[in-house]
Amino acid sequence: EAKGQGKGRQVTYATAMDQRTAEQSRLAADLRIALDTDQLTLLYQPIVTMPGGALFGVEALLRWHHPERGPIGPDVFIPAAERTGLIVPLGAWVLEQACRQAVTWRAELGPAAPATVSVNVSARQLREARFAEDVAAVLGRTGLPPEVLTVEVTETAVFDGGTALTELRAIAALGVKIALDDFGTGHSSLSLLRSCPADVLKVDKSFVDDITDGGPQAVVVAALIGICEGLGLRAVAEGVETAEQAAELQRLGYRYAQGFHYGRPMPAGEIADYRPAADKRQVAA
Ligand code: C2E
Ligand code: MG
Ligand code: MG
Ligand code: MG
């Protein structure tokens, strides 16, 4: 009987997997159309300096407005794009758009322009042996100084094997900055610091979430700032949602943050009007 149940469960599991695969194929087919028909946009989320919350840089975050299904988040469609390989042309589009926008900001805002524009790059893109060449070509076409561009990669992407590290070293040699995204959530965080040419470490939101509880997460966040100082990395705290978290991060020595407390992802046109949260409170008072 137990055997029968196990078998039944296996069938159910297989069916669920098939449904997921079918759903991902549908999404990927729609996404191919989306890429050619203006359904995709980039939002930009402020990366700020603390204290004060002044704009330092921005992270480009992809949004898809599906004609029938409405907005679909990247957590849903990026995996489908990765599975089908569509992430390669999609990622190229993101890179080009973000670099063009960065050039526009520099022309329009001068010294008030974001000092850095971050772009997320997935494992599948890093496995392409042409990745660094493509980055160099986009920088050439747009005229963006390489050091203004930051490429965000996760630990998993770097350890995906193949050419990932070679490609990262090549773009680092161009002068492009490299950020380790969602740091602490992968399987090889600390050894990555030895092998990967990183400039920025983004402490994952899951560590920041509980930072005011006095639990172990706070100890990790405190230790990471020391590691970053020792290695000359810029530490950015991700997912800062409250003034309490911001205050605790500052107490621990953090100088850079990103999160809803400071600003949500917004259209490019709104970045010029971004004002620190502290200023907003003063205006309200
Ligand atoms: P990520 O690179 O870690 O980006 C940060 C995510 O956290 C974004 O979600 C952002 O909206 C969200 N976030 C920022 N601050 C807060 C906060 O205070 N609270 C909460 N709850 N969330 C916050 P989003 O835009 O949904 O993107 C999810 C993930 O999708 C990104 O995580 C990134 O891994 C991936 N992604 C987004 N755009 C691209 C892209 O153009 N290419 C690739 N390959 N991946 C992308
Ligand atoms: Mg990111
Ligand atoms: Mg992240
Ligand atoms: Mg993420």
Side-chain angles (χ1 to χ4, degrees):
E1 203 194 284
K3 206 175 168 186
Q5 268 178 12
K7 205 175 167 193
R9 250 186 248 116
Q10 248 172 21
V11 170
T12 314
Y13 178 69
T15 308
M17 284 295 284
D18 288 347
Q19 279 172 0
R20 235 188 90 211
T21 308
E23 161 74 3
Q24 289 211 340
S25 313
R26 251 195 312 277
L27 271 183
D30 289 353
L31 198 51
R32 201 160 285 136
I33 298 165
L35 196 51
D36 298 325
T37 55
D38 269 4
Q39 294 169 23
L40 298 172
T41 45
L42 289 179
L43 294 184
Y44 295 89
Q45 186 178 28
I47 299 168
V48 306
T49 52
M50 297 187 296
L55 185 76
F56 172 71
V58 293
E59 177 175 5
L61 295 161
L62 194 53
R63 292 293 180 267
W64 179 14
H65 194 92
H66 192 284
E68 284 122 40
R69 302 169 54 165
I72 305 179
D75 286 332
V76 176
F77 68 81
I78 294 283
E82 283 173 344
R83 183 189 282 249
T84 55
L86 198 62
I87 190 69
V88 175
L90 191 63
W93 181 86
V94 169
L95 185 67
E96 178 110 25
Q97 287 288 119
C99 288
R100 288 197 185 289
Q101 184 57 58
V103 168
T104 303
W105 276 322
R106 289 164 64 79
E108 288 177 352
L109 306 176
T116 179
V117 176
S118 274
V119 171
N120 292 286
V121 168
S122 61
R124 183 68 178 69
Q125 288 173 272
L126 285 180
R127 258 192 270 138
E128 295 284 309
R130 288 184 41 91
F131 179 72
E133 269 175 67
D134 290 347
V135 171
V138 171
L139 292 171
R141 270 202 298 281
T142 59
L144 186 71
E147 61 278 6
V148 177
L149 178 65
T150 301
V151 162
E152 297 197 1
V153 294
T154 61
E155 300 147 77
T156 323
V158 179
F159 273 100
D160 201 40
T163 56
L165 263 180
T166 315
E167 295 304 307
L168 283 178
R169 289 189 181 123
I171 63 166
L174 294 172
V176 172
K177 305 293 180 208
I178 294 168
L180 302 177
D181 203 357
D182 305 343
F183 193 84
T185 61
H187 292 296
S188 44
S189 308
L190 294 177
S191 67
L192 192 62
L193 296 176
R194 263 199 321 236
S195 54
C196 186
D199 304 283
V200 181
L201 190 153
K202 300 188 80 172
V203 178
D204 190 66
K205 177 179 186 302
S206 58
F207 294 99
V208 174
D209 280 343
D210 303 329
I211 193 182
T212 51
D213 297 355
Q217 306 299 67
V219 178
V220 173
V221 175
L224 284 177
I225 190 73
I227 290 173
C228 285
E229 277 167 6
L231 295 175
L233 298 172
R234 174 182 301 134
V236 178
E238 289 194 278
V240 181
E241 293 184 338
T242 68
E244 290 69 30
Q245 288 169 343
E248 180 61 10
L249 288 163
Q250 287 169 58
R251 197 186 64 78
L252 294 173
Y254 282 78
R255 293 289 168 261
Y256 297 89
Q258 179 179 352
F260 293 172
H261 173 64
Y262 290 105
R264 291 188 177 250
M266 59 185 81
E270 289 176 23
I271 287 295
D273 300 324
Y274 171 80
R275 293 295 175 273
D279 286 1
K280 277 186 229 146
R281 270 201 302 278
Q282 274 173 7
V283 170

